[in-house]
Amino acid sequence: MSTAGSVPERPSGKHRVEATASSTASIEAVWARLADASTWSTWGQWDETTLDREGVPAPDGVGAIRRFRGRQTTLEEVVAFEPPVDGRARFAYDLLSGLPLRSYHSEVTLESIGGGTRVRWISTFDGAYPLVGSIVRRALQRFIPETARRLAAAAADLTP
């Protein structure tokens, strides 16, 4: 509801970016790359990846705080760490700092398919300021699919 002279209220719309990639590697091989933050700089789009705090199970499980240095430095906390069971695995993290976003959450699910693995990466977030969410969404619409593709390729021992 708005009053005369005020800006109408707008529902807080979460932005969403989703990507899917396929790997010829087993789910265990993809999980090994995904679950180990120290490998992300070898296959991802970061210059350096480090662990600020170990999680459970150690080192990269729930509660782990991971630092990614690239064009920007981001800090993330692992909130789900579910290794492969019955052809499925799940990994999720929340952004703590580094981008002008609120409520950033990413979930990566792995599923065994035919002799390989499907990687599904979904990120949701709100902009910290007006229009920022839309701008960041456009950048992430390139970044997230490329990251999923690189993970799938790295697990299959292909050059990203």
Side-chain angles (χ1 to χ4, degrees):
M1 174 171 199
S2 65
T3 58
S6 69
V7 176
E9 289 182 9
R10 196 172 56 129
S12 175
K14 280 215 178 254
H15 295 276
R16 179 183 174 103
V17 176
E18 183 174 337
T20 302
S22 295
S23 178
T24 57
S26 69
I27 192 171
E28 290 80 13
V30 178
W31 176 259
R33 296 286 184 148
L34 176 64
D36 182 355
S38 71
T39 71
W40 286 44
S41 60
T42 63
W43 57 262
Q45 301 175 71
W46 301 273
D47 298 325
E48 182 183 21
T49 53
T50 57
L51 208 55
D52 283 9
R53 179 178 79 196
E54 286 193 351
V56 178
D60 294 293
V62 173
I65 305 288
R66 309 168 324 146
R67 183 177 305 271
F68 295 86
R69 287 188 183 92
R71 292 176 72 171
Q72 294 190 302
T73 297
T74 58
L75 205 60
E76 302 169 351
E77 181 174 4
V78 176
V79 296
F81 189 89
E82 301 169 12
V85 173
D86 296 328
R88 295 184 183 279
R90 181 173 163 262
F91 180 85
Y93 59 92
D94 292 338
L95 179 72
L96 300 178
S97 66
L99 294 174
L101 302 174
R102 291 186 321 237
S103 305
Y104 182 100
H105 176 79
S106 274
E107 184 163 310
V108 184
T109 55
L110 306 178
E111 180 182 6
S112 291
I113 53 165
T117 304
R118 177 181 298 125
V119 177
R120 186 169 181 209
W121 203 302
I122 300 172
S123 297
T124 58
F125 55 91
D126 284 319
Y129 308 101
L131 302 177
V132 168
S134 296
I135 293 166
V136 173
R137 184 186 71 237
R138 282 193 289 279
L140 290 177
Q141 284 173 327
R142 291 183 303 275
F143 187 84
I144 297 293
E146 178 63 11
T147 301
R149 185 198 68 74
R150 286 174 174 240
L151 170 61
D157 291 323
L158 299 176
T159 304

